[in-house]
């Protein structure tokens, strides 16, 4: 079936360093790729998303890149801060024509002060 | 305040006792979805709805039912809960299929 693989499962970085999380999806019809951040005990919240007609999107310290040919997309966080510590989930959905959404298993990011 | 609400937030029940988890949104969103979250498995979609009376299966629909009689409400029904349905459940809503999903606070369900 359709799936989304996310790596790494755990990532530890020093404050100020960059963090990169990678996802690979299987359904070539997927065209919407959001990233969610979930802090401990809280609900997931969208931090950035990208649609299939765009290769890269940036919002301050956060950027997402998409390679549709290779079916993978990545989250880049620069100048990490302790408050970036959380679990990050990537997801893929078909967008137009459906609402089926497949999430990755998550990456636990630790930012050490 | 724009929000998604779920009730109850915590529930402990026994095998076979029917239960309903309610979900309501006040943002006039057409799209709503239910997910379960289990350690190491991320969020898995159970059912989703693209409009009133329009629902479809997600990745893990077995053992669950949903209904969408009104735009704002999307209840999740477990007719005969089993211990493997012990999980953290999230409801979410979105204005379109390519837009932010707003999640409810979650319902932690334990089935004994």
């Amino acid at each position: 079936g359709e799936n989304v693989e996310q790596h790494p499962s755990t990532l530890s970085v020093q404050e100020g360093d960059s963090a990169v999380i990678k996802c690979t999806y299987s359904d070539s019809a997927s065209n919407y790729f959001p990233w969610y951040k979930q802090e401990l005990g809280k609900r997931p919240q969208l931090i950035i998303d990208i649609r299939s007609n765009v290769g890269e999107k940036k919002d301050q310290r956060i950027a997402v890149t998409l390679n549709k040919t290779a079916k993978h997309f990545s989250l880049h966080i620069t100048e990490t801060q302790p408050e970036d510590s959380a679990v990050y989930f990537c997801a893929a959905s078909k967008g137009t024509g459906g609402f089926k959404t497949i999430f990755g298993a998550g990456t636990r990011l630790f930012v050490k002060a | 305040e724009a929000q998604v609400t779920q009730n109850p937030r915590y529930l402990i029940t026994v095998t076979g006792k029917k239960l309903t988890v309610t979900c309501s949104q006040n943002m006039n969103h057409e799209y709503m979805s239910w997910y379960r979250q289990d350690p190491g498995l991320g969020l898995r979609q159970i059912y989703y709805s693209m409009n009133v009376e329009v629902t479809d299966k997600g990745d893990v629909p077995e053992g669950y039912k949903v209904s969408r009689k009104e735009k704002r409400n999307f209840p999740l029904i477990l007719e005969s809960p089993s211990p493997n349905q012990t999980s953290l459940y999230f409801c979410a809503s979105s204005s379109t299929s390519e837009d932010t999903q707003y999640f409810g606070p979650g319902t932690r369900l334990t089935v004994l």
Side-chain angles (χ1 to χ4, degrees):
Chain A
E2 299 141 5
N3 74 304
V4 173
E5 292 189 5
Q6 183 172 346
H7 298 281
S9 56
T10 306
L11 179 59
S12 185
V13 300
Q14 205 67 37
E15 182 178 2
D17 288 350
S18 295
V20 180
I21 301 170
K22 298 182 179 183
C23 289
T24 303
Y25 60 98
S26 61
D27 188 349
S28 55
S30 298
N31 57 13
Y32 176 61
F33 307 93
W35 286 87
Y36 289 85
K37 175 184 181 182
Q38 186 178 30
E39 296 175 346
L40 191 62
K42 298 200 173 173
R43 69 193 81 184
Q45 290 191 297
L46 182 84
I47 55 170
I48 196 167
D49 57 10
I50 192 167
R51 291 166 181 79
S52 60
N53 58 348
V54 176
E56 185 173 354
K57 183 177 178 181
K58 191 173 180 181
D59 183 3
Q60 299 182 352
R61 297 186 297 110
I62 295 172
V64 57
T65 58
L66 170 65
N67 183 328
K68 280 218 79 177
T69 304
K71 291 192 282 187
H72 66 70
F73 56 114
S74 301
L75 177 71
H76 304 252
I77 306 174
T78 59
E79 301 170 24
T80 54
Q81 301 165 2
E83 50 265 39
D84 293 330
S85 296
V87 179
Y88 292 80
F89 293 99
C90 62
S93 75
K94 292 181 183 177
T96 304
F99 197 43
K100 193 166 187 180
T101 305
I102 307 292
F103 278 78
T107 296
R108 186 172 295 278
L109 174 64
F110 296 96
V111 179
K112 295 175 285 187
Chain B
E1 179 192 352
Q3 60 181 347
V4 179
T5 57
Q6 293 178 229
N7 281 292
R9 295 289 314 280
Y10 302 91
L11 179 60
I12 300 175
T13 189
V14 295
T15 299
K17 186 176 181 183
K18 180 179 178 179
L19 66 93
T20 299
V21 184
T22 64
C23 172
S24 184
Q25 50 94 5
N26 63 0
M27 295 172 278
N28 202 37
H29 286 169
E30 291 192 354
Y31 291 81
M32 297 186 75
S33 194
W34 274 103
Y35 296 91
R36 60 177 289 173
Q37 184 173 26
D38 302 289
L41 296 177
L43 292 142
R44 292 181 292 167
Q45 194 176 41
I46 302 170
Y47 270 96
Y48 61 90
S49 169
M50 295 187 286
N51 211 329
V52 174
E53 303 291 4
V54 180
T55 63
D56 206 348
K57 296 177 182 178
D59 228 20
V60 288
E62 297 78 19
Y64 304 94
K65 282 175 58 176
V66 292
S67 68
R68 186 94 181 274
K69 292 182 169 46
E70 307 165 278
K71 198 171 189 178
R72 63 182 293 130
N73 297 323
F74 190 43
L76 179 70
I77 303 154
L78 285 72
E79 295 266 5
S80 183
S82 63
N84 64 12
Q85 292 178 299
T86 292
S87 188
L88 177 60
Y89 290 87
F90 285 102
C91 178
S93 75
S94 175
S95 58
T96 74
S97 59
E98 292 186 19
D99 208 342
T100 308
Q101 288 194 55
Y102 293 90
F103 285 80
T107 295
R108 188 165 293 282
L109 172 66
T110 301
V111 183
L112 302 174

